[in-house]
Amino acid sequence: KAGVTQTPRYLIKTRGQQVTLSCSPISGHRSVSWYQQTPGQGLQFLFEYFSETQRNKGNFPGRFSGRQFSNSRSEMNVSTLELGDSALYLCASSLEASGGNEQFFGPGTRLTVL
Amino acid sequence: AQRVTQPEKLLSVFKGAPVELKCNYSYSGSPELFWYVQYSRQRLQLLLRHISRESIKGFTADLNKGETSFHLKKPFAQEEDSAMYYCALSRQGSARQLTFGSGTQLTVLP
């Protein structure tokens, strides 16, 4: 089975721009979660999508948004980029047989904001 | 608010020595606790979770609710155990919304 894929792997943007990151979950997985990883704050939960609906949301400003498509692929968007948004963005997918399914992580997208 | 604390950023042990990676948490309720591992140039992956009560690659972790700890232990460290280890928690039934600790970089010396 192919793992979680994320595109692009690397991205450079300037302040004020917006960016869209993509995540393709493992085939059959219906839940996708997004995390931000920075040296200062570590790994922080952004949001989770299941069946095209946002189920959980972390403590991030409204500039961070996401969506999920009917094929379970997910995108996250960051508008009006700030220097502090430079981070590794990870997505993870899981089955939804019950609440305790293992998450499988992608390789991440490295976003640099100049 | 829920929090996970890993007091050691770096930990070095010699091959064959016991290793313990510390994890303490604060959570008002019954959490689920996990250990994730990231080997060099690999993805973050689940190592073990407290509800499974299993030993993976020789590692075990016991949830101590009285001390709010979930320390990771291995009696005899191997060089291939060198990696970044993250302790994480979620509320029960919501393993997709994890709160991570800051991680411990374990180095096993030959």
Side-chain angles (χ1 to χ4, degrees):
Chain A
K1 224 184 229 187
V4 177
T5 58
Q6 293 186 245
T7 57
R9 293 293 311 278
Y10 301 91
L11 207 48
I12 299 175
K13 292 285 186 179
T14 56
R15 276 183 299 174
Q17 287 186 309
Q18 75 165 16
V19 67
T20 299
L21 312 181
S22 181
C23 172
S24 292
I26 291 172
S27 177
H29 285 194
R30 299 170 64 191
S31 169
V32 174
S33 296
W34 288 89
Y35 294 84
Q36 182 197 63
Q37 186 175 27
T38 60
Q41 300 297 319
L43 276 156
Q44 293 185 287
F45 173 78
L46 279 156
F47 29 64
E48 184 225 350
Y49 286 87
F50 175 75
S51 290
E52 303 177 63
T53 302
Q54 187 182 87
R55 281 207 300 199
N56 295 294
K57 189 176 191 304
N59 189 26
F60 278 82
R63 299 186 296 109
F64 291 81
S65 62
R67 59 178 176 168
Q68 187 179 33
F69 302 95
S70 58
N71 62 358
S72 295
R73 188 177 70 85
S74 177
E75 289 181 346
M76 69 162 281
N77 183 276
V78 188
S79 62
T80 319
L81 284 166
E82 301 176 0
L83 295 179
D85 297 333
S86 294
L88 181 68
Y89 290 88
L90 295 172
C91 84
S93 74
S94 64
L95 288 168
E96 182 55 12
S98 67
N101 297 117
E102 176 181 352
Q103 288 193 91
F104 293 85
F105 282 82
T109 293
R110 172 77 61 186
L111 172 64
T112 302
V113 182
L114 303 176
Chain B
Q2 55 200 51
R3 178 175 290 183
V4 177
T5 302
Q6 294 179 251
E8 304 135 330
K9 291 192 72 170
L10 303 170
L11 182 63
S12 295
V13 299
F14 286 101
K15 177 182 171 182
V19 61
E20 181 179 52
L21 288 84
K22 290 184 167 39
C23 172
N24 289 90
Y25 67 90
S26 62
Y27 185 77
S28 55
S30 294
E32 288 195 48
L33 273 295
F34 308 82
W35 277 99
Y36 278 80
V37 61
Q38 189 166 27
Y39 300 102
S40 178
R41 291 184 293 277
Q42 293 189 28
R43 305 176 182 201
L44 193 62
Q45 58 186 281
L46 179 66
L47 180 62
L48 52 79
R49 58 198 304 176
H50 88 271
I51 60 172
S52 300
R53 303 185 67 79
E54 43 185 4
S55 173
I56 305 293
K57 298 184 179 182
F59 284 98
T60 59
D62 290 318
L63 180 61
N64 185 323
K65 293 185 178 180
E67 296 183 357
T68 59
S69 68
F70 188 56
H71 303 327
L72 184 68
K73 300 177 184 179
K74 185 170 184 177
F76 307 104
Q78 303 298 315
E79 289 181 69
E80 56 265 31
D81 296 329
S82 295
M84 189 72 163
Y85 291 81
Y86 294 95
C87 182
L89 73 75
S90 72
R91 60 182 169 84
Q92 282 193 355
S94 185
R96 299 161 305 279
Q97 182 177 353
L98 296 169
T99 297
F100 283 91
S102 55
T104 297
Q105 178 68 50
L106 173 66
T107 301
V108 180
L109 304 167

